[in-house]
Amino acid sequence: MTETRGKPSARRADLVRIAAELFAERGYRATTVRHIGDAAGVLSGSLYHHFDSKETILDELLSSYLDELLTTYREIAGAEPVTALRGLVTEAFRSLGEHRAAITVLQNERTYLRSLPRFGYLTKADDEVRRIWTTVLRDGIEAGAFRADLDPAITYRFLRDSVWVAVRWFRQDGRLSPEELAEQYLKMILDGITA
Amino acid sequence: MTETRGKPSARRADLVRIAAELFAERGYRATTVRHIGDAAGVLSGSLYHHFDSKETILDELLSSYLDELLTTYREIAGAEPVTALRGLVTEAFRSLGEHRAAITVLQNERTYLRSLPRFGYLTKADDEVRRIWTTVLRDGIEAGAFRADLDPAITYRFLRDSVWVAVRWFRQDGRLSPEELAEQYLKMILDGITA
DNA sequence: CTCCCGCACCCAAGCGCTAGCTTGGTAGCC
DNA sequence: GGCTACCAAGCTAGCGCTTGGGTGCGGGAG
């Protein structure tokens, strides 16, 4: 009963999606199992037929997002630096649409979650993402595509933060599509805002 | 007794600082009054001699930061666009050092806090900050200092997020001073990262 | 100088409440 | 008849906060 992994029951997936919206809106810790139950139309105790803890629900949400992101990123990373950077930024915005809830939770409660043994893989994922971006930047600087006076570490943090924090105001149904938004950002990032 | 304002007792100020560090590390909601008491070397109940609620501690932290920030911003806003933008960015980084805890809490729990009646002033402050930045950007675009194809609203969010979210990794004692860091950021923001 | 009172500061104990989670049982479907 | 999905009821731990009382110190009256 209550397998932590596997068993991709449709109901189980539904419940993850329902909980994800609440986690994103109110925060993971501020969302109670009774909230989740109400939103799903069941009593809070009934959730424990599907999951053995509230953490398990979050785990399923986060790990599935990170798996997909890293898979896509590994493919993009091989390309020529400017193309790769455009790809990383565009993919980040695209993922904002599909995984808004997961990204929001990660943004707002990353430091807390990393203190939980169960979510140790968050640090590993962060490290790989950082490695991919900084490699692209370093290659681009060496190849003369990016400015030579850039610090790859600072530039990475600047780009990563600028893009991902957009989850706070990004809406899937907004007036700009993820691709258009990525274009606006790339315009500023690549060429600056000076006339 | 237990005046919410006034009476700037030294002990009271100490307690705010102690609580601020915990709020920043573990989050406001995840920090219990017992944690604060432990860190301060008193029992949790003793905190209520100084403050009438946990919210009051946070309020004192946030409002004092916002007061200072807005005062400085109003002065900067008058200058010529590029100078003003440089000033806004530099001041933001400078405030990261002095008000790291307050900014961290605001970044991580802004949406929750805004739902509390007591913290309605956060929305007002946000509005004024937005007004100041977008005015600078709009003036700069009209004056030909910034690119004409920029959307002021998107550009503002991009800049604001990029700078403030740096609180997640910025350390007062890091290898770069706030001013040096602001220079690095301004280099990327104004002229882009392309060679 | 002494006495004592008021005040700032804190302790000890516990209240009411809600959190995540458990347990035993049941309705319906293959 | 077993399996999935759920209910009804309630457990324990920990939350923010209260209450009544104690301690040391500074300052005015005698």
Side-chain angles (χ1 to χ4, degrees), chain B residues 31-34 45 48 53-54:
Chain B
T31 302
T32 73
V33 292
R34 278 168 250 264
Y48 291 82
S53 73
K54 185 181 151 189

Side-chain angles (χ1 to χ4, degrees), chain B:
Chain B
M1 65 192 64
T2 314
E3 334 233 334
T4 298
R5 290 304 178 118
K7 187 155 60 103
S9 128
R11 183 56 172 154
R12 185 183 169 97
D14 279 347
L15 293 173
V16 171
R17 270 189 292 271
I18 290 169
E21 286 307 310
L22 296 176
F23 291 161
E25 278 174 34
R26 323 179 41 133
Y28 169 68
R29 280 168 290 181
T31 302
T32 73
V33 292
R34 278 168 250 264
H35 288 146
I36 303 172
D38 285 350
V42 295
L43 290 185
S44 64
S46 304
L47 297 172
Y48 291 82
H49 169 72
H50 302 274
F51 310 94
D52 48 19
S53 73
K54 185 181 151 189
E55 269 189 11
T56 301
I57 306 180
L58 181 63
D59 197 345
E60 201 150 308
L61 177 70
L62 298 185
S63 57
S64 70
Y65 159 65
L66 288 177
D67 285 350
E68 182 184 317
L69 180 78
L70 284 175
T71 303
T72 312
Y73 264 26
R74 290 191 194 106
E75 293 169 9
I76 296 174
E80 168 268 333
V82 176
T83 308
L85 188 70
R86 300 188 72 93
L88 292 177
V89 171
T90 306
E91 168 60 19
F93 275 106
R94 211 191 49 71
S95 75
L96 286 191
E98 295 175 15
H99 301 281
R100 217 190 82 257
I103 298 175
T104 301
V105 175
L106 278 177
Q107 291 290 316
N108 293 337
E109 317 201 53
R110 158 163 278 134
T111 50
Y112 165 70
L113 293 176
R114 281 211 274 201
S115 73
L116 305 178
R118 172 158 201 174
F119 293 98
Y121 64 86
L122 293 181
T123 306
K124 282 190 196 169
D126 279 354
D127 284 347
E128 180 160 1
V129 168
R130 179 179 45 75
R131 201 182 49 73
I132 291 176
W133 280 76
T134 51
T135 301
V136 168
L137 287 171
R138 221 179 300 268
D139 290 353
I141 291 173
E142 280 180 21
F146 302 137
R147 300 166 54 155
D149 60 346
L150 290 179
D151 179 323
I154 293 181
T155 308
Y156 158 64
R157 285 186 300 217
F158 167 72
L159 295 177
R160 174 202 61 186
D161 291 344
S162 316
V163 171
W164 258 291
V165 82
V167 74
R168 289 192 189 147
W169 51 264
F170 177 78
R171 290 292 94 100
Q172 178 83 294
D173 52 1
R175 50 185 252 267
L176 291 183
S177 71
E179 288 76 14
E180 289 168 325
L181 211 47
E183 260 323 299
Q184 288 272 347
Y185 265 56
L186 283 163
K187 200 163 64 184
M188 295 186 279
I189 287 167
L190 292 172
D191 299 327
I193 69 174
T194 306

Side-chain angles (χ1 to χ4, degrees), chain A residues 100-132:
Chain A
R100 216 191 82 255
I103 298 174
T104 302
V105 175
L106 277 177
Q107 291 292 314
N108 293 337
E109 317 200 54
R110 156 164 278 135
T111 50
Y112 165 69
L113 294 177
R114 279 211 273 202
S115 74
L116 305 179
R118 171 157 201 174
F119 293 99
Y121 64 85
L122 293 181
T123 306
K124 281 190 196 169
D126 280 354
D127 284 347
E128 180 161 0
V129 168
R130 178 180 45 73
R131 202 181 48 72
I132 290 175

